[in-house]
């Protein structure tokens, strides 16, 4: 493992002051803490503490910063708004890296004819939502469950939302990127110096590079094109609750084919009672600290908040002429199932905003779940990708429930049904002030990764503290994928100045003899 020399990092930060002005360089102890991951255990936070941060406002400033990083051989960790909570927030993989904070870059360019937007990294979901509202644009954005972050950073880290445009990385169309040597490239049709099709056609001519800059450390994205969803005439929905843990099987088996056939256009996420409850109450109201939550306590929570053991929100978007019969078809698919509760939702253009991520409205309340255990709340996510299969979901749910209980955690799973896969996103909630829990967190996380890998399943995204652990599970042909990633890394970033360790990709100097 390489170490960042503090003296080199400080020299680089001082040199960066002449580029952006001293007030946009942050290098006090307090600044370092600000740019750490406040949802990670203290020890982990220190392991990923940056040397400081620099916040440029222009592409030219970024190029100058990249030059300084190369001269001083000091790594930069680019963030857009740094709200990647559960996965590290603003914190780098490699301690001592300088956070390149792009949150001052806030330009928004909408093409109303094309239904697209070009955002700079600092544009938050709230910024884009406000922009849309102020101009009454007939387009919706897709926002993640906790929408504090940036449009660009979330798409680049393959975040997800709840509308038909919820696969954010899939809606990227054209990037502007500063490469580790300071060169600027525009991908796809943006490679033409002048032209209107950059945000309209994804791949351009020859190889397509947009995905190469997602979850990678090969470039600093300074502009990101995204398709916007034309505002539908109506959003009709069913909120379905199921009463028993084993109901997960039929929920998955009913929803999978509807999603695969495109009858369901969005990816519904089946969450357990804790996902719903953890934003509304805390554990200490229901159990003594350190004691397991009894079935009676779970039932009491469910009774109080009127929630199922599982709950899922289904939404259909489009003209009423299509949405109404489609919803009828979906409702019929549940006819023979022991649904506990089914409630219809209806929004038609002209109604007041429905106010949830299902209609592209950003929210932050889900982050309240970090308070579940009390103390200073923390959370990290374990997110394996599985085939869409009810039996498998149930088996996984049962085994992971047991593992959580064994290590003293409450299980907070969700299963998002995507076109062809199921993302099992599990929030590992914990109390940072409980040392036993912090110790067990690491053990639980590693056990979950190991057991999933033994069955051939791996994570789609992970916390900065576990990027190597997860990358290790992609082991086909002696980790050929990592070898490819690192060959590209060496070619583009010979000094290893950009986000070393991101997604388990290290520069040659840090591989410790690994090929
Ligand atoms: P958000 O604030 O939207 O939640 P972050 O800024 O925390 O997103 O970014 C998530 C991750 O994506 C970061 O840790 C970083 O690895 C990567 N990333 C974010 N912005 C950029 C960018 N502009 N260029 C390259 N990588 C980025």
């Amino acid at each position: 493992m390489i170490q960042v020399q503090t003296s080199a990092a400080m020299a680089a930060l001082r040199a960066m002051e002449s580029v952006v002005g001293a007030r946009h360089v942050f290098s006090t102890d307090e600044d370092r803490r600000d740019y750490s991951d406040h949802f990670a255990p203290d020890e982990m936070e220190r392991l990923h503490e940056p040397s400081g941060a620099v916040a440029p406002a222009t592409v030219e400033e970024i190029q100058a910063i990249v030059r300084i990083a190369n001269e001083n051989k000091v790594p930069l960790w680019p963030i857009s708004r740094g709200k990647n909570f559960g996965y590290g927030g603003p914190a780098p993989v490699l301690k001592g890296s300088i956070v390149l904070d792009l949150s001052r870059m806030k330009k928004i360019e909408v093409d109303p004819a094309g239904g697209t937007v070009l955002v700079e990294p600092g544009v938050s979901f709230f910024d884009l939502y406000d922009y849309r509202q102020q101009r009454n644009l007939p387009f919706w954005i897709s926002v993640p469950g906790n929408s504090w972050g940036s449009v660009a950073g979330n798409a680049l880290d393959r975040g997800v939302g709840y509308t038909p445009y919820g696969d954010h990385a899939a809606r990227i169309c054209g990037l502007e990127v500063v490469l580790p040597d300071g060169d600027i490239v525009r991908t796809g049709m943006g490679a033409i110096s002048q032209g209107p099709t950059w945000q309209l056609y994804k791949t351009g001519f020859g190889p397509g590079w947009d995905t190469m800059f997602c979850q990678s450390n090969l470039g600093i994205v300074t502009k990101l094109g995204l398709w916007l969803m034309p505002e539908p005439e109506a959003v009709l929905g069913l909120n379905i609750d199921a009463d028993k843990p084993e109901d997960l099987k039929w929920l998955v088996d009913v929803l999978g084919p509807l999603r695969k056939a495109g009858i369901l256009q969005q990816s519904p996420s089946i969450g357990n009672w804790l996902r719903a409850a953890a934003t509304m109450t805390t554990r200490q109201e229901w159990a003594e600290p350190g004691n397991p939550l009894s079935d009676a306590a779970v039932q009491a929570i469910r009774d109080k908040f009127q929630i199922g053991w599982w709950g899922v929100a289904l939404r259909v978007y489009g003209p009423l002429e299509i949405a109404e019969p489609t919803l009828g078809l979906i409702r019929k698919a549940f006819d023979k199932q022991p649904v506990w509760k089914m409630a219809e939702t209806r929004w038609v253009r002209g109604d007041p905003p429905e106010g949830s991520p299902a209609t592209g409205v950003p929210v932050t309340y889900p982050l309240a779940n970090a308070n579940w255990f009390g103390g200073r709340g923390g959370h990290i996510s374990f997110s394996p990708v599985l085939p869409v299969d009810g039996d498998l979901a149930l088996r996984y749910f049962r085994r992971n429930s047991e593992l959580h209980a064994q290590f003293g955690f409450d299980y907070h799973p969700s299963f998002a049904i995507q076109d062809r896969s199921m993302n099992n996103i599990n929030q590992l909630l914990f109390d940072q002030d409980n040392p036993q829990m912090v110790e067990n967190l690491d053990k639980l996380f590693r056990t979950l990764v190991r057991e999933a890998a033994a069955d051939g399943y791996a994570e789609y995204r992970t916390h900065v503290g576990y990027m190597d652990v997860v990358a290790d599970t992609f082991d086909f042909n002696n980790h050929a994928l990592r070898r490819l990633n690192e060959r590209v890394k060496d070619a583009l970033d010979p000094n290893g100045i950009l986000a070393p360790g991101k997604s388990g990709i290290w520069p040659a100097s840090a591989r410790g003899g690994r090929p």
Side-chain angles (χ1 to χ4, degrees):
M1 175 69 60
I2 42 169
Q3 275 191 348
V4 179
Q5 298 301 326
T6 309
S7 54
M10 288 305 140
L13 283 162
R14 291 292 80 79
M16 289 170 193
E17 286 180 358
S18 62
V19 177
V20 295
R23 69 195 184 95
H24 298 303
V25 174
F26 307 95
S27 58
T28 65
D29 280 346
E30 202 182 343
D31 295 331
R32 281 188 274 279
R33 283 201 49 74
D34 278 353
Y35 282 96
S36 296
D37 176 10
H38 305 302
F39 291 99
D42 293 345
E43 187 193 354
M44 209 165 166
E45 200 176 339
R46 272 195 299 277
L47 277 175
H48 298 280
E49 194 177 77
S51 300
V54 55
T58 64
V59 172
E60 292 73 26
E61 288 179 2
I62 293 174
Q63 289 178 293
I65 289 166
V66 164
R67 198 174 320 117
I68 294 168
N70 274 298
E71 280 161 14
N72 291 270
K73 306 268 192 305
V74 171
L76 299 170
W77 179 265
I79 60 165
S80 288
R81 296 197 65 79
K83 310 290 185 202
N84 203 16
F85 299 139
Y87 299 105
V93 171
L94 182 63
K95 184 180 173 79
S97 302
I98 295 175
V99 174
L100 181 64
D101 176 351
L102 304 173
S103 62
R104 291 173 65 212
M105 299 175 67
K106 295 182 79 76
K107 198 156 160 202
I108 299 173
E109 293 169 79
V110 169
D111 167 10
T116 67
V117 65
L118 187 66
V119 287
E120 288 190 335
V123 175
S124 70
F125 288 102
F126 284 95
D127 293 331
L128 189 55
Y129 182 74
D130 289 348
Y131 184 96
R132 182 236 166 246
Q133 292 296 94
Q134 284 154 10
R135 290 162 185 78
N136 206 16
L137 294 173
F139 298 105
W140 282 2
I141 60 177
S142 170
V143 302
N146 168 33
S147 337
W148 249 13
S150 68
V151 177
N154 186 273
L156 290 172
D157 218 42
R158 305 203 179 109
V160 293
Y162 302 91
T163 74
Y165 281 48
D167 180 352
H168 298 164
R171 301 292 171 171
I172 294 176
C173 188
L175 301 174
E176 179 186 85
V177 186
V178 174
L179 297 178
D181 65 358
D183 202 4
I184 303 178
V185 65
R186 287 185 175 178
T187 63
M189 290 305 191
I192 312 169
S193 298
Q194 297 289 335
T197 55
W198 188 14
Q199 269 63 68
L200 303 182
Y201 182 75
K202 287 186 183 175
T203 48
F205 182 64
W209 294 113
D210 285 2
T211 56
M212 160 172 156
F213 297 105
C214 291
Q215 289 190 358
S216 90
N217 51 9
L218 302 171
I220 299 159
V221 174
T222 49
K223 283 189 194 313
L224 180 140
L226 204 65
W227 289 354
L228 299 171
M229 181 169 121
E231 180 180 73
E233 180 188 329
V235 183
L236 308 182
L238 295 175
N239 292 339
I240 295 180
D241 283 274
D243 190 36
K244 298 191 169 59
E246 55 270 28
D247 292 333
L248 178 62
K249 173 179 156 48
W250 61 258
L251 277 168
V252 170
D253 287 337
V254 170
L255 293 174
L258 291 170
R259 181 71 185 100
K260 190 157 50 184
I263 295 168
L264 264 173
Q265 308 143 308
Q266 42 88 244
S267 297
S269 169
I270 307 166
N272 78 337
W273 62 270
L274 180 56
R275 180 175 73 169
T279 59
M280 301 187 280
T281 182
T282 55
R283 195 180 199 273
Q284 66 197 17
E285 290 183 47
W286 308 96
E288 285 299 316
N291 285 354
L293 265 184
S294 63
D295 288 346
V298 172
Q299 190 59 48
I301 294 171
R302 286 186 48 199
D303 288 346
K304 173 160 181 190
F305 297 106
Q306 282 299 296
I307 48 180
W309 218 101
W310 297 105
V312 62
L314 314 178
R315 294 291 179 272
V316 176
Y317 299 74
L320 277 168
E321 277 170 290
I322 297 175
E324 280 181 332
T326 304
L327 193 75
L329 214 69
I330 294 172
R331 197 187 303 104
K332 219 164 120 204
F334 287 95
D335 269 356
K336 296 202 175 74
Q337 305 302 341
V339 170
W340 182 58
K341 261 193 341 190
M342 186 185 275
E344 290 206 8
T345 70
R346 185 183 177 89
W347 176 90
V348 180
R349 194 184 295 150
D351 290 350
E354 176 262 12
S356 85
T359 51
V361 181
V363 296
T364 55
Y365 75 88
L367 199 55
N369 68 6
N371 293 328
W372 171 247
F373 275 103
R376 283 175 304 144
H379 70 118
I380 61 171
S381 298
F382 166 67
S383 317
V385 175
L386 308 173
V388 187
D389 176 332
D391 279 323
L392 175 73
L394 194 55
R395 216 167 52 240
Y396 252 74
F397 156 72
R398 287 196 165 127
R399 192 164 71 185
N400 289 346
S401 300
E402 278 166 22
L403 285 172
H404 275 66
Q406 193 182 317
F407 287 100
F409 290 78
D410 297 328
Y411 191 31
H412 183 302
S414 65
F415 293 83
I417 311 296
Q418 299 180 318
D419 314 44
R420 295 292 189 283
S421 65
M422 188 164 68
N423 274 18
N424 169 216
I425 299 179
N426 306 287
Q427 298 264 10
L428 274 56
L429 306 175
F430 62 97
D431 170 4
Q432 298 183 49
D433 295 317
N434 180 335
Q436 185 61 57
M437 213 172 187
V438 166
E439 199 185 313
N440 285 354
L441 175 74
D442 184 65
K443 288 187 192 147
L444 172 61
F445 189 88
R446 286 172 192 272
T447 307
L448 290 167
V449 172
R450 196 174 53 245
E451 295 219 350
D455 288 339
Y457 307 125
E459 289 68 59
Y460 89 103
R461 190 178 183 188
T462 199
H463 188 272
V464 288
Y466 293 105
M467 287 191 163
D468 287 328
V469 174
V470 167
D472 276 348
T473 63
F474 289 81
D475 59 355
F476 170 73
N477 186 18
N478 185 25
H479 298 91
L481 182 65
R482 181 162 63 198
R483 289 188 283 113
L484 169 63
N485 288 336
E486 292 185 338
R487 273 190 278 168
V488 179
K489 178 75 177 159
D490 291 346
L492 295 186
D493 185 11
N495 292 324
I497 58 117
L498 200 63
K502 172 85 182 176
S503 302
I505 305 167
W506 291 93
S509 57
R511 283 177 217 148
R514 180 158 59 71

